[in-house]
Amino acid sequence: MDLNDCRYFVLIVDHGGYTAVERITGIQRSKLSRRIAHLEESLGVRLLQRTTRRQSMTEAGQVFYDHCKAMLIEAEFAQEAVAQLRSEPAGLVRISCPTVMAQLYLAQLIGEFMTQFPKLRIELDATDRNVNLIEERFDIAVRTRSAALREPGLVAKQVASGRFILVASPKYLSTCKKLDVPAYLDAAASIGALGGGQTQNWLLNDLIGNTVKITLQPRLLCSDLGSQLQACLCGVGIALLPQRIVAEALADGRLKQVLAPWGTPDEGIHLLIASRRGMLPSVRALVDFLTDKLPGALEYSGG
């Protein structure tokens, strides 16, 4: 059944016949007549009782009209609701972000953003898992590893960059042999990412472009960077962590950099969205806000 036929039927009843509807809509009377006939055929009942002078609804027509009228009213409400969403930031925005970044930076920024738009609701999913924006219906995702960007249908906007460096606590370093070159890392206790598996590869480079790949079996595997940081502070072993989140611990001596200047190459921090086309004002406003504010927050943290 064509829903347009339902609309034609309601218009014919409301305006008293085909001629009036033709005058209002510009749709030819003959076409309207064919569409109503097709509608009656598909339903298997007569909706309009026609005479030479007037037409009236049958009992089935009255029932069908009531439901069609309600459906069209709801459709108008739906259109108005979407129009309102498109006119100002409102409604729900869902964003995913790595755990530590959400705790240290994003939660505060989102609080600042929401004070500007009281009609907004936000769901912040703090996770180190790479969510599927389309399947899981996220509007925005913050990604800190370039490898995570290789997903079809996504638009990435880089807002900052940074590198991972090797760190350990003075307590741990006092118990292990001196680390002069990256090759010695495979004999040291290390802390790795749970998703990386029992055996992991750390690809490191120095500031003049030398590159080395270290294969190791971490003593401890953690699902998020915050847990890796805490374990490192407790002296479990060496961790490869974002420079910006260890900056404070390095400054106050709780951590020491290991094998400086070895670390990962600079990697971009990106905002990912499903598409720019048809983006709601609420999503666009948050993307613009984070593009403006997040780089400063990360830079201030020492990244």
Side-chain angles (χ1 to χ4, degrees), residues 243-280:
Q243 186 171 358
R244 57 177 42 90
I245 75 167
V246 299
E248 184 178 341
L250 289 172
D252 63 24
R254 288 177 295 153
L255 290 179
K256 299 291 184 182
Q257 187 170 356
V258 178
L259 288 171
W262 290 92
T264 66
D266 260 8
E267 293 187 318
I269 297 175
H270 296 80
L271 300 180
L272 268 64
I273 54 176
S275 174
R276 296 184 189 275
R277 181 177 299 175
M279 191 188 304
L280 292 175

Side-chain angles (χ1 to χ4, degrees), residues 7 30 38 52 74 122 153 161 179 215 234 278:
R7 175 173 170 269
S30 57
H38 182 269
T52 55
E74 286 299 321
I122 291 181
S161 64
L179 295 171
T215 300
C234 290

Side-chain angles (χ1 to χ4, degrees), residues 55 72-73 86 90 126 178 189 221 230 251 267:
Q55 64 184 15
L72 292 175
I73 291 173
R86 295 189 62 84
K178 187 176 182 180
L221 297 176
Q230 292 304 314
E267 293 187 318

Side-chain angles (χ1 to χ4, degrees), residues 82 91 261:
V82 171

